Amino acid sequence: MSNLFEHKGAKGQGYSQPAPILPESSISLPPSLARKNHARWPRLSEPEMVRHYTWLSKRNFGIDTGFYPLGSCTMKHNPRVNEVIAQLPGIADIHPHQPEHHIQGLLAIFHEMQYMLEVCSGMDQVTLQPVAGAQGEFTAVRCVQEYFRLRGESQRTKVIVPDSAHGTNPASAAVCGFEIVEIPSREDGRIDLDALRAVADETTAVMMITNPNTLGLFEPDIVEASAIVHDVGGQMYYDGANFNAILGITSPGLMGFDAVHFNLHKTFSQPHGGGGPGSGPIGVKSHLAEFLPGPLVKKRPPLGDESQMAIDDMWYGWYQPTRSIGKVQQWHGNAGAVIRCWAYYRRYGRGLRTMSEHAVLNANYLRHAIHKATKEAGVDSMVRDGAEAKVAKHEFTLSLQPAKESHGISAMDVAKGLLDKGYMAPTVYFPLVVPECMMVEPTETESKETLDTFATHFAEVLQVDAETLHAAPITTPVRRVDEVYAARNLCLRHPYDDE
Amino acid sequence: MLAAMGMSSIEDLFEDIPAEVRMTEALPLPPPQSEEEILADARRLLGANVALGDRVSFLGAGLYRNYVPASVFQLVTRGEFLTAYTPYQPEVSQGMLQAMWEFQTLISELVGLPVANLSLYDGSTAAAEALTCSVRVHNRKATQKDTVYVSELTPPDRLSVMYNYCQGADITINLLRHHSDGTLDLDAVSAAVGSCGVYVEQPNPLGILDGGLSELKEILGENTALIVAVQPVSLGLVEAPGHYGADIVVGEGQPLGSPITGGGPIYGIFACSKAYLRLMPGRIVGRSIDVDGKVAYCLTLSTREQHIRRHRATSNICTNETLIALMGAMHMALLGPEGLHSLAVRNMTACLLAKQKLGEIGSIALPHSNNHHFNEFVIELPGSSQDCLAHLDTVGIVGGFDLSAWYPERKNWLLATFTDQTSAKQIELLVAHLAVWASAQGVSA
């Protein structure tokens, strides 16, 4: 049962369907419309299908399997009550075109999420429509683009990003049609204000920054950076991928940002599903609010009959921003993801700060524990911090450059060695500014025991000889996969016998 | 933990955040809740919504309440799938990688094209990305540079997504005319020759199956991409666009495997011919081997993507809809070819019966009834659809979609949807209440 397409069972189905409402013979499609040949799909009984996907699941690693310190991705525990809530018919069986009086409860939750994200980010208006972080970036930059067009500042054709930025930042700005200006980071990984001053001018539309940055470090000069961009008339964009570090402590609004996206799936624990779905709401200051994609949710006291259906004496309704850029997803975004994240937020409420404190505590403790463990094992000379910093935020970087030079052991080798220890490997080779980079993010939902054990295992991996590590992993369902072979011998679908 | 680090307070961990940007007050939010309290609140709030299953519903217009088999929900919540992320470490991600490679094959076979990615956000973003992809591929040879043509019936919300994605590349979107019977005006399509791409839907947004679309590729020729959006279930009966020359097929994957969920998360289908492969958006899984020569899967052609190519990437997409696509794969695996055919027959005959029964009401008209329909069709009412829907709502019927939201001049057009979940009894109920409402309109008029 190694491949779905090897199931060639008898004609029939894996689940039974009722008879059609009229006989099939009542359908008379002309040759220009009728399908001639069935899709060559496999035929599986339900038990065969269940076994196939159960077998596949056992060949996959999730947070439920073990520690998943994938930097930049915030792989925290996904509480199961959130899944129960998302299956309730009041969300699963809701159509986005239903009238407002059918969806008061959903709109109330949307409104609460808009408000929660506004107060946490210091923005004036949030839209929940973008469905992923990259789409949030795209949406916000589109809003800024229209803002400048309205002001007659179409000469602002450039978007500035640090060289340590997530790849989506320049990609999203490019989809909007902007030219990308990349500025080098300082030696210590922070924004280089001189480099920023050198490029910021009347052609600057936006600067996009992550803070804490992709090295997990808070940018101490962020207010100054905002001032430099604002002084030339540009806008400041906050990439919220690392929002998990700062809730209740500081906010993009306080740092001088004009727009921000949230990766709800990271900060508020929508399960990442092997690559998605996500949810990427954005928040903006008031001068950009009229450009947001609509509709947005607002509330007012109920009128007349509405009071019977009102939620806590409030009536919730949609409205369109006056100069909306239009839509970025056809419906109302990933409503099901927003509901799960609402449930996660409710667990903390006004105590969201504790969530960030624990995330930062765990990251710093793990960094400390790894240095301690590697020192005790006598392998501390093989690894160093990716950037100098007394404290990290919710994640930190390590450089395996010393191991590479002294032992020929790369960050990828260590990553594969960690797979053999039963962990998901940290993010490797990002950010690009750290040589042989390993980026580690434990999140707030891991225990001290898990962090201590991981640190010990990390040190053990560094004690393994290079030859053995090059051959790792050996305990996984398959061993090192040949990605070059995959690209050179493209096989993107099942090769049928006649192909 | 703090002591181990030589720290005395959690504040020590935040000393790098300047005082001037510190929040000085607690967040103005309610107190924390326990799991029980959150669940109770969720039940209260979401219970206040009208779930379509609690009514008799004829609302579709792009999202369709098909039955999703129980085993799909049971399997997709296995933690190994649910709580994983992008398979950057293929050795421990073979399950999802293989499932997505299989998904690519299932979609490829369904639509009749050799390549499929592992999902975009929804049908609208898949359509928008198809347009920009067509320009990347064809602009060099195009005589109408940076220009695409789109069916004028395209729902405005979908068209709006297209405009947002196309404007950055200075792509002009022109509209293609339709006849009054709802089919595409093939004579007008000659205007699109020499452009980069043409976008049509089958069935179209009015539920019409348009046989004329099979002639489009011949009109357009090799240098213009034919992009067809599909309702995937219809392909159990209706010809796969790849078999009549479509270069790119997109669509809302939702009817296969996913509840409608307020419009998301769902998943967008994107499939294409090999000529588009290296300029297409989204992730792709390839079959490879490991160091022992064992079959193994990994992400491939990543040099198109943002994490490698940055601003020169073919798309900015990173997080996609993998888990929902997995639900689609599971549903397809259970259906098999004959099951899909049966499902399509159930959807189409429900629509057919409704058309017959509603056609018997004298005071309403079915303006496009000479066509074959899948899932839905337009009912022209003797009064506004807004009034009609409000009336039906009072008797527990969600009567359909008010098409004046798409086409403002069509105040009396109602789009009513019939799926495998529609029973003959429900159709009778709709007919009875519509007839009563319609005749009352006649009296007052």
Side-chain angles (χ1 to χ4, degrees), chain A residues 172-251:
Chain A
S172 299
V175 175
C176 292
F178 285 101
E179 187 185 324
I180 310 305
V181 180
E182 196 173 271
I183 57 168
S185 305
R186 287 192 329 218
E187 196 108 306
D188 67 359
R190 271 75 161 198
I191 313 171
D192 186 334
L193 291 179
D194 291 332
L196 175 58
R197 280 191 200 95
V199 299
D201 60 20
E202 71 289 346
T203 64
T204 301
V206 190
M207 174 164 200
M208 303 176 82
I209 309 184
T210 312
N211 193 19
N213 65 24
T214 56
L215 286 87
L217 306 177
F218 195 84
E219 294 281 4
D221 296 330
I222 191 63
V223 173
E224 182 63 19
S226 294
I228 292 168
V229 172
H230 284 147
D231 282 349
V232 298
Q235 296 280 294
M236 286 292 284
Y237 178 80
Y238 181 89
D239 174 336
N242 295 343
F243 202 45
N244 208 43
I246 63 159
L247 283 156
I249 296 155
T250 176
S251 77

Side-chain angles (χ1 to χ4, degrees), chain A residues 64-112:
Chain A
D64 287 7
T65 319
F67 185 41
Y68 208 121
L70 191 67
S72 189
C73 299
T74 315
M75 303 300 288
K76 60 177 74 173
H77 174 64
N78 305 130
R80 284 312 191 276
V81 70
N82 304 1
E83 296 308 305
V84 171
I85 289 170
Q87 305 293 335
L88 293 174
I91 175 63
D93 202 11
I94 293 295
H95 194 294
H97 287 327
Q98 281 182 260
E100 286 173 1
H101 69 272
H102 281 191
I103 53 170
Q104 282 299 299
L106 178 65
L107 293 176
I109 290 175
F110 268 39
H111 189 271
E112 187 179 345

Side-chain angles (χ1 to χ4, degrees), chain B residues 244-315:
Chain B
Y244 54 85
D247 301 287
I248 303 177
V249 173
V250 296
E252 205 78 90
Q254 175 272 323
L256 288 174
S258 171
I260 54 178
T261 322
I266 49 180
Y267 65 101
I269 291 170
F270 188 103
C272 59
S273 64
K274 284 188 175 144
Y276 298 79
L277 173 61
R278 284 169 200 279
L279 293 171
M280 71 185 281
R283 292 213 174 96
I284 306 172
V285 176
R287 194 175 74 171
S288 185
I289 49 172
D290 75 355
V291 289
D292 295 332
K294 259 169 79 179
V295 168
Y297 300 85
C298 62
L299 296 174
T300 194
L301 297 174
S302 303
T303 50
R304 300 164 299 111
E305 294 188 68
Q306 49 76 29
H307 63 282
I308 310 268
R309 192 57 63 84
R310 299 176 78 83
H311 66 276
R312 291 187 189 85
T314 57
S315 167

